[in-house]
Amino acid sequence: EKAQIGVTGLAVMGRNLARNFARHGHTVAVHNRSYGRTKELVEEFGSEGKFIPAETAEEFVASLERPRRVIIMVKAGGPTDAVIDEFAPLLEEGDMLIDAGNAHYLDTRRREAALKERGLHFVGTGVSGGEEGALHGPSIMPGGSPESYEALGPLLEDISAKVDGEPCCVHVGPDGAGHFVKMVHNGIEYADMQLIAEAYDLLRQVGGHSPAEIADVFRGWNEGRLGSYLIEITAEVLKQVDAETGKPFVDIVVDQAEQKGTGRWTVQAALDLGVPVSGIAESVFARALSGGPDVRAAAKDAALPGPSASSGAHGGDLQADVEQALFASKIVAYAQGFQQIQAASKEYDWAIDPGAMAKIWRDGCIIRAKFLDFIKQAYDKQPELATLLVDSYFLDAVSGAQDAWRRVVATAAQQGIPAPGFASALAYYDGLRAERLPAALIQGQRDFFGAHTYRRVDKDGSFHTLWAAEGRPETEA
Ligand code: 6PG
């Protein structure tokens, strides 16, 4: 008997994906650079289904039915290229190499183009949900050709998370579309995490609540419109007590957030696309600030002054206000992330359906949330929606939240508590709302020093003013 699917790279993600396929009745070929891991998998979990362990790449390839479906689950970058170089020569026309790691979408585009010339399908696939998701049902975001999806999609849908029986897996679009969308998922994940962290910080510093009390607040919020995996695990983390010291777990952890890079990639890509993903950017920068011990130490030595003691107490129900600020800022972050997906889809001709992305993020992935149902509905109603903020559900939510949101941002500023996520989301919202932006002045400055020209509000064309600055020659565009 041949295997329907193969997995090479059997660290925990690869192993759990392989087990998930086997548990769904598929025969799975398994391979790893060192055979030890392969043996271990079959010894430990062989009873869960049918595995065909392979010692060599050749054996592995020979054990697969055609067209061959080979999932690569190794580190992004060099290791992925090395595995592709190893397997591509062994495969035949129509076979598929599926990269399920967190690859950069530009690498995926390059690899897809190169393998297409050899008659092979390269399917860059986003997989979210961590180890548990990989085993019990992740959210899956495959790119690559539509033909490859025909042969691969049903298997992926089978092992994905389900919402009302519907798989959290859909063909995102060609070449790098899947990895792009997974990247933005991670960027949004960063923003969600930062906003939650700010909410916690304000409840603790302004409200004076203990981590355990704040855990209860989050548990309550999880029952409402903020209901989501990240809110749920936040409550778990906050109620955790360090066994050694008896202190709250959050107080014994070094306050420097690390990152593997997908959030940064999201912002880099957004800069190139010209999409203002300020919520994601602030969260990447907040991690960078936290992780810059030298600068923080210098600031501490210099005792950078905070606000005078007289600056204001919070003028409202702090807990309710923070919930509103969190929800409104979350809406902004998602609106920006979805705008980035739409911009990339246009740029690369991917024809991504944003509603379908919201749909497959409803379960399995890290950002899974009740909220995504409303995003799906918004795009179902209006596929060309310019921004989620103008959809009636989100418009109502933000207008209902905005007074509280402003109070929270004001309190944070007055008390000297950093809340870059809340503040920048509000600034973005006000920027969109503004009837006139000071961008007109920037155009004037550009025209003054560089004759870059400007457009007028009252007639077509581009204009340049002969600025009569002293000692400066007059020019005309
Ligand atoms: C997921 C996660 C996953 C991983 C992140 C962590 O969707 O399952 O996003 O991909 O946990 O890469 O990212 P950082 O290490 O950059 O925080």
Side-chain angles (χ1 to χ4, degrees):
E1 194 198 341
K2 297 232 170 189
Q4 283 89 55
I5 192 134
V7 178
T8 182
L10 300 176
V12 60
M13 285 296 288
R15 185 179 69 199
N16 283 359
L17 278 180
R19 290 173 61 199
N20 191 348
F21 281 113
R23 288 170 168 203
H24 279 84
H26 304 290
T27 302
V28 191
V30 282
H31 171 263
N32 193 65
R33 229 154 65 104
S34 59
Y35 186 59
R37 275 222 169 119
T38 315
K39 242 177 66 187
E40 239 172 68
L41 191 167
V42 178
E43 277 166 14
E44 261 183 74
F45 306 107
S47 61
E48 292 181 353
K50 285 189 223 137
F51 295 99
I52 304 181
E55 275 205 69
T56 65
E58 287 78 5
E59 258 177 64
F60 177 70
V61 166
S63 71
L64 288 160
E65 68 175 40
R66 301 230 28 226
R68 297 186 182 89
R69 293 169 275 238
V70 175
I71 294 187
I72 303 170
M73 197 71 241
V74 300
K75 281 211 178 75
T80 301
D81 280 317
V83 172
I84 294 170
D85 290 345
E86 183 183 6
F87 281 96
L90 305 174
L91 298 175
E92 295 167 272
E93 182 137 0
D95 287 352
M96 282 158 255
L97 277 172
I98 302 123
D99 176 7
N102 271 332
H104 195 288
Y105 74 102
L106 292 178
D107 284 337
T108 302
R109 282 171 65 79
R110 165 177 64 77
R111 289 166 180 149
E112 203 261 353
L115 289 171
K116 194 188 260 168
E117 287 192 359
R118 305 166 70 159
L120 301 176
H121 296 286
F122 184 75
V123 187
T125 300
V127 178
S128 178
E131 298 169 16
E132 284 301 297
L135 183 60
H136 299 292
S139 171
I140 311 181
M141 295 150 251
S145 65
E147 301 94 276
S148 68
Y149 195 79
E150 263 173 51
L152 176 67
L155 275 106
L156 297 180
E157 290 178 12
D158 206 20
I159 66 149
S160 75
K162 310 281 182 311
V163 176
D164 305 328
E166 293 211 63
C168 292
C169 170
V170 73
H171 183 231
V172 173
D175 65 80
H179 274 144
F180 188 91
V181 162
K182 173 65 196 339
M183 177 188 78
V184 175
H185 164 283
N186 280 27
I188 292 175
E189 168 187 309
Y190 277 49
D192 261 336
M193 292 165 76
Q194 173 66 24
L195 294 171
I196 290 172
E198 291 177 18
Y200 149 74
D201 204 24
L202 289 163
L203 292 177
R204 188 142 188 208
Q205 296 208 56
V206 180
H209 298 293
S210 70
E213 286 164 356
I214 301 170
D216 286 335
V217 174
F218 277 98
R219 222 174 282 128
W221 288 351
N222 196 42
E223 300 305 313
R225 60 187 180 168
L226 280 167
S228 61
Y229 173 71
L230 284 169
I231 293 279
E232 182 190 326
I233 66 161
T234 298
E236 296 293 319
V237 174
L238 285 176
K239 76 160 196 244
Q240 182 76 12
V241 171
D242 176 49
E244 238 171 87
T245 58
K247 290 184 180 161
F249 168 83
V250 274
D251 289 349
I252 57 107
V253 177
V254 174
D255 60 346
Q256 296 177 16
E258 295 171 24
Q259 48 182 313
K260 289 205 286 281
T262 44
R264 182 169 60 233
W265 291 350
T266 312
V267 179
Q268 286 168 336
L271 290 172
D272 288 336
L273 290 164
V275 181
V277 291
S278 47
I280 299 171
E282 287 297 349
S283 56
V284 174
F285 289 141
R287 286 195 194 191
L289 186 152
S290 80
D294 295 348
V295 184
R296 288 176 70 188
K300 198 173 171 198
D301 287 346
L304 296 186
S308 61
S310 61
S311 12
H314 185 73
D317 175 344
L318 181 72
Q319 197 172 305
D321 283 1
V322 170
E323 194 269 350
Q324 297 276 15
L326 178 52
F327 196 61
S329 304
K330 181 181 169 85
I331 291 172
V332 166
Y334 280 69
Q336 294 176 337
F338 273 83
Q339 195 193 335
Q340 181 174 2
I341 289 174
Q342 285 178 298
S345 177
K346 210 163 153 200
E347 169 81 17
Y348 295 109
D349 242 337
W350 283 335
I352 297 175
D353 169 4
M357 301 307 105
K359 181 177 165 204
I360 65 169
W361 287 347
R362 289 179 304 168
D363 205 358
C365 64
I366 303 296
I367 65 170
R368 58 186 183 262
K370 285 178 195 159
F371 171 77
L372 284 154
D373 251 328
F374 294 102
I375 299 186
K376 178 187 174 293
Q377 284 163 23
Y379 285 111
D380 283 352
K381 262 188 286 174
Q382 228 181 308
E384 299 298 323
L385 199 62
T387 169
L388 282 173
L389 285 162
V390 301
D391 170 76
S392 58
Y393 172 80
F394 296 106
L395 187 74
D396 286 352
V398 171
S399 49
Q402 68 159 318
D403 289 341
W405 192 9
R406 293 181 196 286
R407 279 194 295 274
V408 169
V409 170
T411 296
Q414 279 181 332
Q415 300 205 16
I417 299 164
F422 288 172
S424 83
L426 182 57
Y428 175 84
Y429 174 70
D430 283 333
L432 282 191
R433 262 181 357 93
E435 194 135 338
R436 291 275 300 161
L437 286 168
L441 176 58
I442 292 172
Q443 284 298 81
Q445 293 163 333
R446 293 177 68 247
D447 191 60
F448 188 104
F449 66 64
H452 293 304
T453 76
Y454 53 88
R455 284 174 296 133
R456 293 183 58 100
V457 296
D458 51 359
K459 36 184 164 167
D460 285 341
S462 59
F463 297 86
H464 169 55
T465 292
L466 300 178
W467 300 95
E470 238 193 2
R472 205 175 150 280
E474 292 192 343
T475 52
E476 198 164 3

